[in-house]
Amino acid sequence: MYELIEHTADVGLRVSAADLDELFSDAARGLFSILVEDLAAVRPDRRLVFELQSADTESLLIDWLNELVYVFSTQHVLLSRFDVQVQGARLRAEATGERFDPQRHHLGPEIKAVTYHGLTLTRTAQGYVAEVILDV
Amino acid sequence: MIAGEGRRYAGPLEKVNDYCYRIPKTYKKGMRVDGLIFANEALIQQIVDDQAPEQVANVATLPGIQVASLAMPDIHWGYGFCIGGVCATDPKQGGVISPGGVGYDINCGVRLIRSNLTLADVRPRLGRLVGALFAKIPCGAGQSGSRTFSVEELKTLMREGPRALLAYGLAEARDIEYTEARGRLDWAEPDWVSERALERGRDQCGTLGGGNHFLEVQVVDEVFDDVAAQAMGLSQGSICVLIHSGSRGLGYQVCVDALHQLAGVPAMYGIELPDRQLACAPIGSPEGQRYLGAMGAAANYAWCNRQVLMHDARQVFESVFGRSWQSLGMELVYDVAHNTAKPEEHEVGGRKKLVYVHRKGATRAFPPGHPDLPEVYRPIGQPVLIPGSMGTASWVLVGQEGSMKLTFGSTCHGAGRAMSRTRAVQIASGRRVEAELASLGVVARARAWRGLAEEQPAAYKDVDLVVEVVHRANLSKKVARLRPLGVIKG
């Protein structure tokens, strides 16, 4: 589950999930829900595979989201479905989506980057909660 | 709520004078210097609404910081450094360079183009003009520019800045002369820019981007300093174009890469930081030099971007008015950067020395007589261009002596946000904002309605108040106010 949170200059994302796989997957959907107005209308025409390794799980979350910003920025692909496996500071993910089509997709603000500022990733009784701030 | 949002700053704030407040260095462990916020009573009430002053205090802990951690009246909460912050560090005193002190959008900046057109010339064709600009100039996310540069070409742009565009017919010699630093930071090192950043930059030179970036057709509404206005070729009722954009995805990626590379570096040099987003390295260290080289390359790319945007805007004016841009008098007034870090000579404690001035959401404002200025501007001081929020007035100022004494040659950069984007969208839809702008006679075209709502005038501090403070504090002087007629944005 993800929700947008208020931030003066930028946009924040709060994600809660039962486990890290779901947390990373929901964070990715949260990111694309900012990039495109109707995420549900994105068709699963293309499949992309990601493998990432970072210093720790928190950095991995930032690197993962920045990876998606980079993919959208260079390939103009909107992704809506994610299957993510996180192990410690490593990640393997498959994502489906389609190329941005100005006729059918309405884009939201441009995301410059995902920042470390105010980054939290905590364990709760129900699983995990994370907060990140995006520079838009 | 995320740290910083919604919580008022509760620390000390001592009034220095009517335009300056101090956070004493005794406030927080690790502060090496005071914090100084340039603001009046009305603005300081807004500024303490969030944790931006706390960020001013955090920056005061950076090694080698000189005199004070400074904030301009348009200060608002950023990630790590506040936006509207100025910090000068001395490399000989362990001074650091920090990507957070520059920002993701390296060399985000503004350029102003004048013309000999009047309101009467433009008013009847305004809709067509704005439509043609919107059709020609890519804006918003997911938009490629019409030009794609090879890796080798990109590297030349990053090494040389807009002078490299002379060969493409996209720039004139005069354009280079009227760009801050002549559009070239000479320590730029394109080989330190990652492949990813190059990939993001390939097709984005000549694109406006999203967020608060825009291109506006404006009219000079009021002139406050005839001599300076005349030197810039501005007169009441004349038409201008203001372009606000930066280094696009290339610059964002350079910052992302740098923060990634610097993750363990402060600890390696024994630097304790109150916030991870303040990541930094000593200026002379290999890590610091690497960031400086890549940042310089991204800054030069940003100047190329604004140069190409200006070229395209000139072409649109040519086709709408049926005359060459030269005969329309569409000369560049000046181009200023507001997200950079640069070595500059400043007087500290009675001695001139070289310091690295970080300006994150702050504009260089050199006073009259400064050798870096084009000859025409030496008698009046450096033009400072302050974009208002979309649809409100923008300002042209000139740098004053006070900036060299108080702020390492710096002044404000804009209105500064006062409301979050989500709240802005809640209070007014993009379509309503468009209608409101239309009722003011402003023609607006945007890719995303949400973007229009996010950037609505009510989401920003009053730019007139911000300008009043820097004027009274003698950081820069009012020359002219510009009113928008047409705006395009992402």
Side-chain angles (χ1 to χ4, degrees):
Chain A
M1 193 190 98
Y2 63 82
E3 60 180 319
L4 300 189
I5 45 182
E6 292 221 349
H7 192 260
T8 316
D10 305 320
V11 175
L13 202 54
R14 180 184 295 128
V15 193
S16 48
D19 55 40
L20 283 175
D21 293 356
E22 193 185 317
L23 187 91
F24 275 62
S25 169
D26 284 357
R29 288 200 306 125
L31 180 106
F32 277 98
S33 78
I34 295 166
L35 278 171
V36 64
E37 283 177 16
D38 187 6
L39 192 59
V42 172
R43 297 170 185 160
D45 291 348
R46 286 170 70 160
R47 184 171 149 271
L48 296 179
V49 175
F50 300 88
E51 290 192 38
L52 294 177
Q53 163 115 45
S54 301
D56 51 56
T57 315
E58 287 188 351
S59 306
L60 184 67
L61 180 61
I62 300 298
D63 289 347
W64 163 235
L65 296 176
N66 272 324
E67 182 80 16
L68 298 172
V69 169
Y70 158 74
V71 165
F72 173 70
S73 162
T74 51
Q75 300 179 29
H76 303 167
V77 174
L78 294 165
L79 298 169
S80 62
R81 293 177 204 180
F82 299 87
D83 180 10
V84 188
Q85 281 111 44
V86 178
Q87 277 191 314
R90 290 174 75 107
L91 165 155
R92 190 181 182 285
E94 282 184 29
T96 55
E98 64 174 320
R99 207 181 145 80
F100 162 60
D101 174 359
Q103 300 303 315
R104 291 194 301 112
H105 302 128
H106 295 285
L107 293 182
E110 182 185 51
I111 296 175
K112 292 179 190 159
V114 182
T115 78
Y116 288 96
H117 197 96
L119 165 66
T120 58
L121 198 172
T122 45
R123 237 195 141 122
T124 63
Q126 289 79 34
Y128 291 89
V129 177
E131 288 184 353
V132 290
I133 297 174
L134 317 175
D135 186 13
V136 297
Chain B
M1 289 287 162
I2 277 190
E5 173 71 23
R7 269 192 303 135
R8 275 176 74 84
Y9 169 74
L13 216 43
E14 301 166 355
K15 186 167 176 175
V16 178
N17 57 41
D18 285 350
Y19 306 103
C20 188
Y21 289 77
R22 177 191 292 119
I23 302 172
K25 69 176 178 183
T26 50
Y27 166 50
K28 206 168 180 171
K29 187 172 163 279
M31 279 177 75
R32 296 164 196 262
V33 291
D34 291 343
L36 287 179
I37 301 175
F38 288 84
N40 61 11
E41 181 78 34
L43 285 168
I44 207 81
Q45 293 307 325
Q46 290 183 33
I47 289 167
V48 295
D49 261 351
D50 65 22
Q51 292 284 303
E54 193 71 31
Q55 298 189 311
V56 175
N58 287 345
V59 168
T61 69
L62 291 179
I65 185 169
Q66 302 294 296
V67 185
S69 167
L70 302 161
M72 301 298 117
D74 49 341
I75 168 182
H76 62 90
W77 202 80
Y79 28 87
F81 284 69
C82 67
I83 294 162
V86 176
C87 152
T89 55
D90 180 354
K92 290 187 178 153
Q93 292 179 32
V96 291
I97 182 92
S98 173
V102 174
Y104 282 97
D105 195 358
I106 295 163
N107 188 4
C108 184
V110 191
R111 84 171 35 197
L112 181 69
I113 303 123
R114 65 177 180 237
S115 79
N116 54 30
L117 292 165
T118 64
L119 193 54
D121 298 325
V122 168
R123 189 50 89 189
R125 303 188 206 186
L126 186 60
R128 203 180 133 212
L129 177 64
V130 175
L133 287 165
F134 191 61
K136 173 88 177 174
I137 292 170
C139 29
Q143 297 286 317
S144 299
S146 53
R147 299 168 191 84
T148 301
F149 294 94
S150 72
V151 168
E152 277 319 303
E153 287 175 311
L154 264 186
K155 288 193 174 183
T156 307
L157 298 188
M158 289 190 288
R159 191 172 289 112
E160 300 297 330
R163 74 185 60 182
L165 295 169
L166 293 168
Y168 296 84
L170 294 168
E172 300 273 321
R174 192 192 169 283
D175 300 337
I176 314 301
E177 180 67 17
Y178 287 82
T179 301
E180 178 174 331
R182 286 166 187 79
R184 182 173 186 254
L185 302 184
D186 58 10
W187 64 88
E189 192 35 88
D191 289 342
W192 287 340
V193 172
S194 71
E195 278 183 27
R196 292 196 149 203
L198 291 172
E199 202 184 332
R200 287 179 79 168
R202 279 184 72 219
D203 64 354
Q204 291 194 337
C205 192
T207 64
L208 202 53
N212 58 358
H213 295 162
F214 61 70
L215 181 151
E216 276 188 357
V217 178
Q218 306 177 328
V219 59
V220 179
D221 198 29
E222 194 172 349
V223 170
F224 297 84
D225 182 324
D226 288 326
V227 174
Q230 199 178 7
M232 293 185 218
L234 301 176
S235 57
Q236 191 161 356
S238 67
I239 298 296
C240 300
V241 174
L242 190 79
I243 296 173
H244 181 199
S245 187
S247 49
R248 312 289 298 107
L250 184 142
Y252 315 157
Q253 190 68 39
V254 165
C255 185
V256 167
D257 292 340
L259 289 171
H260 188 84
Q261 286 156 7
L262 289 175
V265 169
M268 199 168 94
Y269 289 101
I271 301 168
E272 277 185 49
L273 295 175
D275 182 337
R276 187 170 176 173
Q277 196 81 33
L278 294 178
C280 58
I283 291 161
S285 69
E287 296 85 359
Q289 287 296 308
R290 198 177 171 92
Y291 169 67
L292 266 171
M295 185 262 285
N300 294 346
Y301 176 85
W303 276 309
C304 291
N305 181 38
R306 290 198 289 277
Q307 175 69 39
V308 174
L309 287 166
M310 174 173 77
H311 171 85
D312 287 353
R314 281 170 168 168
Q315 284 200 330
V316 169
F317 271 75
E318 285 183 338
S319 78
V320 170
F321 293 96
R323 284 155 62 191
S324 71
W325 67 261
Q326 289 90 345
S327 85
L328 293 168
M330 292 186 71
E331 300 288 356
L332 178 59
V333 174
Y334 206 58
D335 177 304
V336 289
H338 52 225
N339 283 5
T340 55
K342 293 201 268 184
E344 290 172 6
E345 195 176 69
H346 287 277
E347 206 174 292
V348 180
R351 264 187 39 236
K352 283 203 164 168
K353 64 176 176 179
L354 188 82
V355 292
Y356 280 71
V357 184
H358 296 70
R359 297 189 181 97
K360 182 185 187 182
T363 313
R364 197 186 72 174
F366 283 167
H370 198 284
D372 277 12
L373 301 182
E375 222 175 298
V376 181
Y377 296 149
R378 255 173 239 167
I380 61 164
Q382 180 207 306
V384 172
L385 313 170
I386 309 297
S389 52
M390 177 192 68
T392 64
S394 295
W395 284 86
V396 178
L397 315 174
V398 278
Q400 293 292 287
E401 277 304 327
S403 77
M404 295 311 267
K405 292 189 185 119
L406 299 167
T407 56
F408 292 99
S410 313
T411 189
C412 63
H413 88 304
R417 281 198 88 86
M419 188 190 291
S420 74
R421 292 170 193 274
T422 22
R423 177 151 312 152
V425 172
Q426 282 159 8
I427 68 161
S429 72
R431 284 172 204 275
R432 202 182 98 196
V433 173
E434 191 207 21
E436 279 173 13
L437 288 171
S439 75
L440 298 170
V442 180
V443 178
R445 297 290 301 271
R447 284 278 161 218
W449 291 110
R450 191 187 160 91
L452 208 54
E454 286 175 355
E455 297 300 324
Q456 63 184 284
Y460 283 85
K461 294 191 181 87
D462 184 345
V463 69
D464 295 357
L465 271 184
V466 168
V467 165
E468 195 61 34
V469 170
V470 295
H471 180 83
R472 301 258 174 186
N474 197 31
L475 305 180
S476 40
K477 183 166 72 164
K478 292 182 198 174
V479 174
R481 191 178 61 216
L482 313 177
R483 181 164 56 82
L485 299 171
V487 51
I488 67 165
K489 64 181 307 301

